[in-house]
Amino acid sequence: MRCPSLPAEFLADEGNPTLCLPPTALRLIRAEGYQYGDLRMRRKSALNNGTAGVNDVTPDGEPPTSTADGTARRSAVAEEQAFLDMATARRDRLVEHLQVELSSEALDALEQARQRMLRQQYEELRQAAEGLVFGRLDGLDGTVRHVGRVGLRDDGEDGEPLLVDWRAPAARPFYTATAVDPQGQARRRHIRTTGSAVVGVDDEPLDGTATAELVGEGALLAALDQRRTGRMSTAISTLQREQDDIIRAEATGPLIVQGGPGTGKTVVALHRVAYLLFTYRKMAEQAVLVLGPSPRFLRYIAQVLPALGETAVVSATCDTLLAGVQVSRDESRLLAEIKGRALWQPALEGYVASLLPRPRELKLRWEGEFYVIPAATVAQALTSAVQGRPYHRARAVFAEQVHHLLADVVAEQREALMDEMEEGFEDILARVDRGMGHDPHSVRTSTGSDIDGLLSEEEIDQLRRRIAENATIARFIETWWPTLDPETLLGDLLTDRALLARFAPQLAPEEITAVAAEPAGWASSDVPLLDALAELLGEGDAPQPQGEFVADRARRQRGWVYGHVVIDEAQELSEMQWQMVLRRCPSRSITAVGDIDQAEAAHRHTSWAQAVRAAFGDRWTAAELTICYRTPREVMDLTGPVLTKAGSRNTPPRAVRSAGIAPWERTVAPAELAGAAGEAVRQLRQRWHGGTVGVIAPVDRVAELQAVLSDVPVLTATQSKGLEWDATLLIDPQGIAAEPRGWNGLYVALTRCTQELGQLILTQQSPHS
């Protein structure tokens, strides 16, 4: 039955003719076995801080406060369902069109480039199937704009905008408009969907009648209350103003973002990547590098950027950034700190410079004769070749110059020899000419070495090519200026006390001894040193790697220059790791997010100024995230004393949500720890069925706990960085605090949960503590 008050595609329910919904909504509700008269609406108290208008539709909720309210809410859901159906249909048509376009074979480079662009569009639209539409802006001038994961237009080349991409300037008021600064908007609506159905809407008047502290508070808190899945999801529908400001900040230099636990640092970093690739199309041609603290963390965030349709992204850790190098051993914090210092960059530069050949006279054999290139000429060629070039590239340039110099010497020597020969035979030639009756004034029409002994330019070029292809000449240059391997070279340096003292004089004698005594194999702190050496040595004229996507090519090439670099948990980077980042982004278009109070690395930095001074000096911009969305207020209240003991100089973030669950403690004897932990995990998993539980313990207790808790992650504080669970079981917090920089680690461990925190306190210190 058609609904007379709405467009033709809306249908009225047979049991309730006053309620009109689009077909998709009808099918959803009927499939669940409900009649419209059975539907109830409710407003969750935890989600109702200042929001007004329409809220969740739930089959088992409380009855609406009035018939008018219920009708308005159902009408709003129906209205947004109609729009979602229309946008989905348009998206589906575009996907089908792109599939047809991509099915044709690309016959030339231009068509291949076009297909790469089309495939990017296809992936973006394909990934947008879930959560295609999530917001709406009603302007004071009566305009209505819907905001979604991608931008869509109506059919036709000049079609009107149907859906505004969340990254577009027109969508920004959705994240930043307030009652104080409405930015031309009368109302903001958050639209919640499941699959192809609208399940709830949440309206915020921007005329001052509602005073919610957060943008889309209902939608945000609903998302935060959802069970964790072990994978991070997108947050484009619930970004807050201070987060959006950072996401859309200019990308002209280093941006360092300080944010405590739960402030959305990682969300900001990843959504900033999506925004930058959308806004600066040239950046996509160079790709964006995302650096995370661990492979586990990268797996956790792996779905976010693909879900946003981005493929021009390479993800790595500092340990995996240098292709072909495998970290095979751990190292002490002392050695990690020593090898992380900035002093190694000039030390390695001096070391490589010392390996360059010194100018001297070169005596080369060519076709049975020896030819000499003077020392002054060699010195000039060396200076010219080395200027601004890495070792191997300079070697290639010098070799080319030697080929030219040798060819010139051969030509000059041949000319001189011919001159000597001609002096003795001039009279003979003259008599022969007279005897043959030749006219001494006749014009000679032949030229070249066969007539006058001089090599033509063409002959000299041929000589140079022959010299360049000669194996003997190549062996001579290789002996005098050898090819070097960065791994061999670094091994030689780090195991030689004399070399260390010569090139790294800032190191104390005991530090040199400690470095030289390290076992074979590479540790994490060696990777930036190897990377620096690889850069100083260079790779010559290696062919550019090929691949369909720019990320594939970038991933395989050490010297790739990225359009932008995003670093998560940036407080953990050493000075040499920062140098490794700079080599991949010399433009310094870098976004680094982290919490200096969560730093656990061996370096001694306690402020961002100290952490980035060696890389950026004072030329960087600071930003801050001040609101904690994830960690409940009950848990954040525990962190004050811990931060004080960690020496923090920052104001901790302000928690804006309460889980209603007080953190709890249980005291156990060390001998009973495994059993108590197993029982506590069992209870937490039961309470948070469908969600996630994580266990954090001191380093020396992880192995024994992993043996009995095989079905949940058991991690150290460092390993848990950036992760989150519904519930966290914290084992022996005093043991964590006793570790190096342990108060910082305990701060990390306390703040991993979104709902519940439990702690097992040991009654006494065991021999392992």
Side-chain angles (χ1 to χ4, degrees):
M1 165 168 46
R2 297 289 181 193
C3 180
S5 60
L6 287 172
E9 64 267 21
F10 281 72
L11 301 176
D13 181 53
E14 297 170 358
N16 186 355
T18 64
L19 182 60
C20 298
L21 289 175
T24 303
L26 283 169
R27 289 193 299 270
L28 174 70
I29 294 173
R30 286 170 179 163
E32 296 294 331
Y34 294 104
Q35 296 297 319
Y36 285 115
D38 297 328
L39 287 178
R40 297 293 182 265
M41 320 290 280
R42 69 173 179 173
R43 187 188 304 257
K44 298 180 182 178
S45 59
L47 310 180
N48 192 32
N49 300 325
T51 58
V54 185
N55 279 278
D56 286 347
V57 181
T58 61
D60 58 347
E62 301 169 1
T65 56
S66 70
T67 303
D69 285 345
T71 301
R73 291 168 183 167
R74 290 191 294 270
S75 177
V77 170
E79 182 182 14
E80 300 309 337
Q81 183 67 62
F83 182 84
L84 177 60
D85 288 345
M86 180 168 53
T88 299
R90 176 61 178 148
R91 170 205 163 271
D92 292 345
R93 288 194 297 273
L94 288 172
V95 168
E96 291 173 2
H97 172 74
L98 288 170
Q99 285 176 325
V100 172
E101 290 286 318
L102 291 169
S103 64
S104 60
E105 183 180 357
L107 300 177
D108 54 33
L110 183 62
E111 184 61 22
Q112 289 172 357
R114 177 177 175 272
Q115 288 216 353
R116 282 195 295 269
M117 180 186 67
L118 293 177
R119 183 164 282 105
Q120 169 72 21
Q121 295 173 356
Y122 170 77
E123 286 298 323
E124 190 173 56
L125 287 168
R126 186 180 68 83
Q127 294 283 356
E130 182 71 25
L132 176 62
V133 181
F134 57 77
R136 168 174 152 172
L137 288 168
D138 293 4
L140 291 169
D141 59 0
T143 58
V144 174
R145 290 198 300 270
H146 280 84
V147 179
R149 292 180 61 163
V150 295
L152 296 174
R153 288 184 175 273
D154 288 331
D155 288 327
E157 293 183 3
D158 300 322
E160 290 295 315
L162 178 67
L163 185 64
V164 177
D165 191 297
W166 70 275
R167 297 161 290 190
R172 191 167 194 191
F174 182 76
Y175 301 104
T176 59
T178 64
V180 176
D181 178 23
Q183 299 174 32
Q185 308 305 314
R187 182 179 68 174
R188 170 173 42 229
R189 171 174 286 177
H190 285 261
I191 304 165
R192 276 173 267 170
T193 60
T194 298
S196 60
V198 175
V199 298
V201 294
D202 182 27
D203 283 345
E204 289 178 85
L206 298 174
D207 57 3
T209 59
T211 58
E213 178 182 19
L214 303 173
V215 172
E217 186 167 352
L220 172 64
L221 295 180
L224 293 171
D225 280 341
Q226 290 177 352
R227 294 288 191 268
R228 304 298 103 178
T229 64
R231 291 288 184 93
M232 176 174 282
S233 58
T234 64
I236 50 177
S237 64
T238 56
L239 292 171
Q240 299 298 295
R241 179 164 188 162
E242 69 173 11
Q243 295 174 325
D244 187 76
D245 286 343
I246 293 171
I247 288 170
R248 298 176 193 262
E250 291 293 322
T252 54
L255 176 65
I256 309 297
V257 182
Q258 163 65 28
T263 55
K265 299 183 295 295
T266 302
V267 165
V268 167
L270 296 178
H271 287 71
R272 177 161 169 77
V273 171
Y275 168 76
L276 292 175
L277 289 173
F278 174 85
T279 306
Y280 304 102
R281 294 299 185 182
K282 287 286 186 183
M283 195 175 286
E285 298 174 7
Q286 297 176 273
V288 171
L289 173 65
V290 175
L291 278 181
S294 67
R296 180 185 291 271
F297 175 83
L298 293 180
R299 289 193 296 272
Y300 173 61
I301 67 171
Q303 299 303 312
V304 176
L305 287 169
L308 294 172
E310 301 301 346
T311 59
V313 180
V314 175
S315 297
T317 69
C318 286
D319 285 357
T320 63
L321 195 52
L322 186 55
V325 175
Q326 184 72 37
V327 173
S328 59
R329 64 178 176 84
D330 294 327
E331 62 186 337
S332 69
R333 290 179 64 83
L334 171 64
L335 284 165
E337 189 278 322
I338 291 171
K339 289 193 291 183
R341 299 176 193 170
L343 65 88
W344 289 95
Q345 187 64 37
L348 293 171
E349 291 171 2
Y351 181 37
V352 171
S354 74
L355 302 173
L356 293 170
R358 296 294 177 260
R360 67 173 178 85
E361 180 182 273
L362 297 184
K363 190 174 183 180
L364 302 170
R365 186 181 180 88
W366 176 252
E367 295 185 342
E369 299 290 337
F370 284 101
Y371 298 90
V372 175
I373 302 177
T377 303
V378 172
Q380 186 177 6
L382 271 172
T383 301
S384 173
V386 169
Q387 190 67 37
R389 296 185 179 92
Y391 178 94
H392 288 129
R393 180 63 187 138
R395 177 184 179 277
V397 171
F398 179 77
E400 186 176 352
Q401 291 182 345
V402 167
H403 301 155
H404 282 256
L405 291 171
L406 178 57
D408 290 344
V409 170
V410 170
E412 291 170 4
Q413 204 157 312
R414 178 169 180 170
E415 181 181 353
L417 179 61
M418 292 303 296
D419 287 343
E420 292 177 5
M421 292 174 62
E422 285 182 0
E423 289 178 4
F425 287 100
E426 282 181 353
D427 292 342
I428 297 173
L429 291 173
R431 288 196 296 270
V432 170
D433 284 341
R434 286 194 299 271
M436 296 178 67
H438 286 179
D439 182 356
H441 302 292
S442 63
V443 179
R444 302 176 69 179
T445 59
S446 297
T447 60
S449 59
D450 58 332
I451 301 299
D452 56 14
L454 299 180
L455 295 179
S456 66
E457 285 299 322
E458 182 180 351
E459 290 171 323
I460 292 177
D461 286 341
Q462 292 175 350
L463 176 60
R464 288 168 181 163
R465 285 194 293 271
R466 289 171 56 210
I467 290 172
E469 296 167 357
N470 185 269
T472 301
I473 299 297
R475 283 194 298 271
F476 176 86
I477 294 176
E478 175 64 31
T479 301
W480 192 63
W481 193 330
T483 302
L484 298 176
D485 172 64
E487 294 193 43
T488 302
L489 207 58
L490 184 61
D492 293 342
L493 174 64
L494 295 182
T495 56
D496 191 319
R497 291 178 176 81
L499 287 176
L500 288 170
R502 175 184 172 190
F503 293 108
Q506 303 95 322
L507 295 178
E510 61 271 19
E511 292 175 331
I512 291 175
T513 299
V515 170
E518 280 195 289
W522 299 122
S524 180
S525 66
D526 293 316
V527 176
L529 306 186
L530 283 168
D531 189 68
L533 270 179
E535 179 76 8
L536 291 167
L537 293 178
E539 302 175 40
D541 294 321
Q544 296 294 316
Q546 299 299 309
E548 183 176 11
F549 293 107
V550 64
D552 298 327
R553 302 195 298 274
R555 194 176 289 110
R556 294 195 296 267
Q557 186 176 356
R558 187 204 63 79
W560 188 272
V561 174
Y562 289 90
H564 194 78
V565 176
V566 169
I567 311 166
D568 206 326
E569 301 293 346
Q571 75 277 358
E572 304 298 344
L573 268 62
S574 69
E575 291 174 332
M576 285 303 294
Q577 286 172 330
W578 278 110
Q579 293 293 333
M580 187 162 58
V581 170
L582 271 181
R583 280 189 285 277
R584 284 156 178 80
C585 191
S587 67
R588 302 190 176 197
S589 181
I590 296 169
T591 301
V593 303
D595 182 4
I596 203 70
D597 292 328
Q598 295 185 53
E600 292 184 86
H603 59 64
R604 301 165 185 171
H605 308 142
T606 58
S607 70
W608 284 113
Q610 292 174 342
V612 303
R613 183 179 297 124
F616 305 138
D618 296 327
R619 300 177 63 184
W620 54 281
T621 302
E624 187 173 8
L625 295 167
T626 62
I627 301 174
C628 174
Y629 308 99
R630 179 193 68 210
T631 310
R633 189 179 297 114
E634 295 89 344
V635 174
M636 286 302 296
D637 288 344
L638 301 177
T639 63
V642 175
L643 283 175
T644 299
K645 291 176 181 177
S648 171
R649 290 176 282 183
N650 297 309
T651 301
R654 179 171 52 88
V656 293
R657 61 183 284 267
S658 171
I661 304 172
W664 52 266
E665 297 179 359
R666 294 175 189 165
T667 302
V668 300
E672 301 169 351
L673 176 59
E679 177 60 21
V681 166
R682 186 190 67 78
Q683 294 177 5
L684 288 173
R685 294 188 69 187
Q686 187 175 26
R687 282 197 292 276
W688 299 103
H689 179 70
T692 57
V693 175
V695 178
I696 304 176
V699 173
D700 58 359
R701 294 202 178 275
V702 167
E704 64 173 299
L705 290 167
Q706 285 176 336
V708 296
L709 301 174
S710 58
D711 52 354
V712 295
V714 181
L715 308 174
T716 67
T718 299
Q719 292 169 335
S720 72
K721 278 182 178 295
L723 305 179
E724 62 179 31
W725 303 284
D726 292 281
T728 300
L729 180 64
L730 181 55
I731 306 291
D732 188 15
Q734 288 302 316
I736 293 176
E739 294 174 345
R741 297 196 79 163
W743 292 108
N744 301 80
L746 183 56
Y747 180 52
V748 173
L750 285 170
T751 54
R752 296 305 94 196
C753 72
T754 64
Q755 304 291 347
E756 182 176 356
L757 171 68
Q759 301 184 67
L760 296 185
I761 311 297
L762 299 189
T763 56
Q764 61 185 37
Q765 292 297 317
S766 73
H768 297 91
S769 300

